Amino acid sequence: MCDLPPITGICMLFPNAHVQAPHHLAPAESIATMQQQLSQLRQGQLSASHLSEWARAQTALLQSLPPQFDQVLQDLLNRLEAGALFTEESCSFSQRDIINSLQLWLDKASDRLENS
């Protein structure tokens, strides 16, 4: 069940989405939660804007990684949000490709956290 504050409106749009508020997660928990949210996005249970907003709020995770990770993530999230404006795949905004790139980012961030 959605446990975001009702004022966000996300729960009204996606009442069956299992999302968590972005506060105070350890970096490894942020990775796991972001993985869940990426799966929900793939299944159409979560909006691109919600995933982007949540991911940007993960300051503990982003501060625990080299600055390049934040730069790449911001670029991917911007592309994801821009691509969500199109109803079909376009040559410049393939949501599937961006989601695959986000998955790669998650894998590399997880590896970096495990090896640091």
Side-chain angles (χ1 to χ4, degrees):
M1 172 169 267
C2 186
D3 60 359
L4 287 174
I7 196 164
T8 64
I10 298 297
C11 294
M12 291 172 60
L13 294 172
F14 302 97
N16 296 323
H18 297 285
V19 296
Q20 296 177 338
H23 51 73
H24 310 298
L25 292 179
E29 293 174 307
S30 291
I31 292 282
T33 302
M34 191 170 172
Q35 181 64 58
Q36 292 170 348
Q37 290 192 5
L38 196 56
S39 294
Q40 290 174 346
L41 178 65
R42 279 188 182 109
Q43 298 167 9
Q45 297 173 339
L46 193 67
S47 70
S49 62
H50 176 73
L51 174 68
S52 295
E53 180 182 328
W54 185 90
R56 287 186 173 107
Q58 301 312 300
T59 55
L61 170 62
L62 297 173
Q63 290 173 354
S64 68
L65 295 167
Q68 298 88 337
F69 277 82
D70 187 28
Q71 293 168 350
V72 169
L73 180 62
Q74 297 306 321
D75 179 55
L76 290 171
L77 295 175
N78 288 338
R79 289 173 45 209
L80 181 67
E81 290 175 318
L85 299 174
F86 298 95
T87 56
E88 300 176 9
E89 297 281 316
S90 76
C91 58
S92 16
F93 292 104
S94 168
Q95 187 175 41
R96 184 178 0 182
D97 289 345
I98 296 168
I99 290 172
N100 290 340
S101 294
L102 281 167
Q103 182 62 60
L104 180 61
W105 185 93
L106 275 170
D107 295 343
K108 289 185 178 283
S110 180
D111 288 346
R112 180 58 76 113
L113 288 174
E114 289 175 9
N115 296 321
S116 62

